[in-house]
Short mmCIF file of all heavy atoms in Angstrom, two decimals:
data_model
loop_
_atom_site.label_atom_id
_atom_site.label_comp_id
_atom_site.label_asym_id
_atom_site.label_seq_id
_atom_site.Cartn_x
_atom_site.Cartn_y
_atom_site.Cartn_z
N LEU K 74 -44.69 -139.40 43.46
CA LEU K 74 -45.50 -139.52 44.68
C LEU K 74 -45.67 -140.96 45.13
O LEU K 74 -46.28 -141.21 46.16
CB LEU K 74 -46.88 -138.88 44.46
CG LEU K 74 -46.90 -137.36 44.50
CD1 LEU K 74 -48.24 -136.83 44.05
CD2 LEU K 74 -46.59 -136.85 45.90
N THR K 75 -45.15 -141.90 44.35
CA THR K 75 -45.30 -143.30 44.75
C THR K 75 -43.97 -144.03 44.89
O THR K 75 -43.95 -145.21 45.20
CB THR K 75 -46.17 -144.07 43.73
OG1 THR K 75 -45.55 -143.98 42.44
CG2 THR K 75 -47.58 -143.51 43.66
N LEU K 76 -42.87 -143.34 44.68
CA LEU K 76 -41.58 -144.03 44.72
C LEU K 76 -40.49 -143.20 45.35
O LEU K 76 -40.26 -142.05 44.97
CB LEU K 76 -41.16 -144.42 43.30
CG LEU K 76 -39.76 -145.04 43.14
CD1 LEU K 76 -39.68 -146.38 43.87
CD2 LEU K 76 -39.41 -145.21 41.67
N SER K 77 -39.82 -143.80 46.32
CA SER K 77 -38.60 -143.22 46.87
C SER K 77 -37.53 -144.30 46.84
O SER K 77 -37.83 -145.48 47.05
CB SER K 77 -38.82 -142.74 48.31
OG SER K 77 -37.60 -142.27 48.87
N THR K 78 -36.30 -143.90 46.54
CA THR K 78 -35.21 -144.87 46.52
C THR K 78 -34.10 -144.43 47.45
O THR K 78 -33.82 -143.24 47.60
CB THR K 78 -34.64 -145.05 45.10
OG1 THR K 78 -34.15 -143.79 44.64
CG2 THR K 78 -35.69 -145.58 44.14
N LEU K 79 -33.48 -145.42 48.07
CA LEU K 79 -32.30 -145.20 48.91
C LEU K 79 -31.15 -145.96 48.25
O LEU K 79 -31.26 -147.17 48.03
CB LEU K 79 -32.54 -145.73 50.32
CG LEU K 79 -31.31 -145.86 51.22
CD1 LEU K 79 -30.73 -144.49 51.57
CD2 LEU K 79 -31.65 -146.61 52.52
N THR K 80 -30.10 -145.26 47.90
CA THR K 80 -28.92 -145.90 47.33
C THR K 80 -27.77 -145.81 48.32
O THR K 80 -27.38 -144.70 48.72
CB THR K 80 -28.52 -145.23 46.00
OG1 THR K 80 -29.61 -145.30 45.08
CG2 THR K 80 -27.31 -145.94 45.40
N VAL K 81 -27.27 -146.97 48.69
CA VAL K 81 -26.09 -147.03 49.57
C VAL K 81 -24.88 -147.09 48.64
O VAL K 81 -24.69 -148.07 47.92
CB VAL K 81 -26.14 -148.26 50.49
CG1 VAL K 81 -24.94 -148.26 51.43
CG2 VAL K 81 -27.44 -148.28 51.28
N THR K 82 -24.11 -146.04 48.61
CA THR K 82 -22.99 -145.96 47.68
C THR K 82 -21.72 -146.47 48.33
O THR K 82 -21.51 -146.31 49.54
CB THR K 82 -22.78 -144.52 47.20
OG1 THR K 82 -22.44 -143.71 48.35
CG2 THR K 82 -24.04 -143.96 46.56
N SER K 83 -20.87 -147.10 47.52
CA SER K 83 -19.60 -147.63 47.99
C SER K 83 -19.78 -148.32 49.34
O SER K 83 -19.20 -147.93 50.36
CB SER K 83 -18.57 -146.49 48.11
OG SER K 83 -17.30 -147.00 48.41
N ALA K 84 -20.61 -149.33 49.32
CA ALA K 84 -20.99 -150.00 50.57
C ALA K 84 -19.81 -150.69 51.23
O ALA K 84 -18.91 -151.22 50.55
CB ALA K 84 -22.09 -151.02 50.27
N HIS K 85 -19.82 -150.65 52.55
CA HIS K 85 -18.80 -151.33 53.35
C HIS K 85 -19.49 -152.25 54.35
O HIS K 85 -20.69 -152.07 54.63
CB HIS K 85 -17.93 -150.30 54.06
CG HIS K 85 -17.04 -149.54 53.14
ND1 HIS K 85 -15.90 -150.09 52.59
CD2 HIS K 85 -17.13 -148.29 52.66
CE1 HIS K 85 -15.32 -149.19 51.80
NE2 HIS K 85 -16.05 -148.09 51.83
N PRO K 86 -18.77 -153.19 54.91
CA PRO K 86 -19.41 -154.12 55.86
C PRO K 86 -20.15 -153.42 57.00
O PRO K 86 -21.19 -153.92 57.45
CB PRO K 86 -18.22 -154.95 56.38
CG PRO K 86 -17.26 -154.98 55.23
CD PRO K 86 -17.38 -153.61 54.60
N GLU K 87 -19.69 -152.27 57.43
CA GLU K 87 -20.38 -151.57 58.52
C GLU K 87 -21.73 -150.99 58.10
O GLU K 87 -22.51 -150.54 58.96
CB GLU K 87 -19.50 -150.46 59.11
CG GLU K 87 -19.03 -149.44 58.11
CD GLU K 87 -17.64 -149.74 57.55
OE1 GLU K 87 -17.29 -150.95 57.46
OE2 GLU K 87 -16.94 -148.79 57.20
N ASP K 88 -21.99 -150.99 56.79
CA ASP K 88 -23.31 -150.55 56.31
C ASP K 88 -24.33 -151.67 56.37
O ASP K 88 -25.53 -151.44 56.13
CB ASP K 88 -23.21 -150.05 54.86
CG ASP K 88 -22.28 -148.85 54.73
OD1 ASP K 88 -22.25 -148.02 55.66
OD2 ASP K 88 -21.58 -148.75 53.70
N SER K 89 -23.87 -152.86 56.68
CA SER K 89 -24.79 -154.00 56.81
C SER K 89 -25.80 -153.70 57.91
O SER K 89 -25.42 -153.36 59.04
CB SER K 89 -24.01 -155.28 57.14
OG SER K 89 -23.11 -155.61 56.12
N SER K 90 -27.05 -153.82 57.56
CA SER K 90 -28.10 -153.43 58.51
C SER K 90 -29.46 -153.78 57.91
O SER K 90 -29.55 -154.27 56.78
CB SER K 90 -28.01 -151.93 58.77
OG SER K 90 -28.83 -151.55 59.86
N PHE K 91 -30.50 -153.49 58.67
CA PHE K 91 -31.87 -153.62 58.18
C PHE K 91 -32.38 -152.21 57.89
O PHE K 91 -32.34 -151.34 58.76
CB PHE K 91 -32.73 -154.30 59.26
CG PHE K 91 -34.12 -154.65 58.84
CD1 PHE K 91 -34.34 -155.65 57.91
CD2 PHE K 91 -35.22 -153.99 59.38
CE1 PHE K 91 -35.63 -155.99 57.52
CE2 PHE K 91 -36.51 -154.33 59.01
CZ PHE K 91 -36.72 -155.33 58.07
N TYR K 92 -32.80 -151.98 56.66
CA TYR K 92 -33.29 -150.67 56.25
C TYR K 92 -34.79 -150.80 55.98
O TYR K 92 -35.23 -151.72 55.28
CB TYR K 92 -32.57 -150.18 54.99
CG TYR K 92 -31.10 -149.93 55.20
CD1 TYR K 92 -30.16 -150.96 55.08
CD2 TYR K 92 -30.63 -148.66 55.57
CE1 TYR K 92 -28.81 -150.73 55.29
CE2 TYR K 92 -29.28 -148.43 55.79
CZ TYR K 92 -28.38 -149.47 55.65
OH TYR K 92 -27.04 -149.24 55.88
N ILE K 93 -35.54 -149.85 56.51
CA ILE K 93 -36.99 -149.93 56.34
C ILE K 93 -37.54 -148.55 56.04
O ILE K 93 -37.08 -147.55 56.61
CB ILE K 93 -37.66 -150.57 57.59
CG1 ILE K 93 -39.13 -150.89 57.34
CG2 ILE K 93 -37.48 -149.71 58.83
CD1 ILE K 93 -39.73 -151.82 58.38
N CYS K 94 -38.48 -148.50 55.14
CA CYS K 94 -39.06 -147.22 54.76
C CYS K 94 -40.49 -147.12 55.28
O CYS K 94 -41.14 -148.14 55.57
CB CYS K 94 -39.06 -147.04 53.25
SG CYS K 94 -40.22 -148.11 52.37
N SER K 95 -40.95 -145.92 55.42
CA SER K 95 -42.37 -145.71 55.66
C SER K 95 -42.85 -144.59 54.75
O SER K 95 -42.10 -143.69 54.40
CB SER K 95 -42.67 -145.39 57.13
OG SER K 95 -42.27 -144.08 57.45
N ALA K 96 -44.08 -144.70 54.35
CA ALA K 96 -44.68 -143.73 53.43
C ALA K 96 -45.88 -143.11 54.12
O ALA K 96 -46.71 -143.81 54.69
CB ALA K 96 -45.09 -144.41 52.13
N ARG K 97 -45.93 -141.79 54.03
CA ARG K 97 -47.02 -141.08 54.70
C ARG K 97 -48.07 -140.66 53.70
O ARG K 97 -47.78 -140.00 52.71
CB ARG K 97 -46.46 -139.85 55.41
CG ARG K 97 -47.53 -138.86 55.83
CD ARG K 97 -47.16 -138.14 57.09
NE ARG K 97 -47.15 -139.06 58.20
CZ ARG K 97 -46.25 -139.04 59.17
NH1 ARG K 97 -45.29 -138.15 59.17
NH2 ARG K 97 -46.31 -139.89 60.16
N SER K 98 -49.29 -141.04 53.99
CA SER K 98 -50.41 -140.57 53.20
C SER K 98 -50.68 -139.11 53.56
O SER K 98 -50.54 -138.75 54.72
CB SER K 98 -51.64 -141.42 53.49
OG SER K 98 -52.80 -140.81 52.97
N PRO K 99 -51.06 -138.30 52.60
CA PRO K 99 -51.35 -136.91 52.93
C PRO K 99 -52.56 -136.74 53.82
O PRO K 99 -52.75 -135.70 54.42
CB PRO K 99 -51.59 -136.25 51.56
CG PRO K 99 -51.88 -137.36 50.62
CD PRO K 99 -51.16 -138.56 51.16
#
Side-chain angles (χ1 to χ4, degrees):
Chain K
L74 283 171
T75 59
L76 175 64
S77 176
T78 60
L79 167 68
T80 302
V81 183
T82 62
S83 187
H85 290 284
E87 56 265 30
D88 299 325
S89 298
S90 191
F91 187 69
Y92 295 86
I93 190 166
C94 70
S95 74
R97 165 148 293 141
S98 167

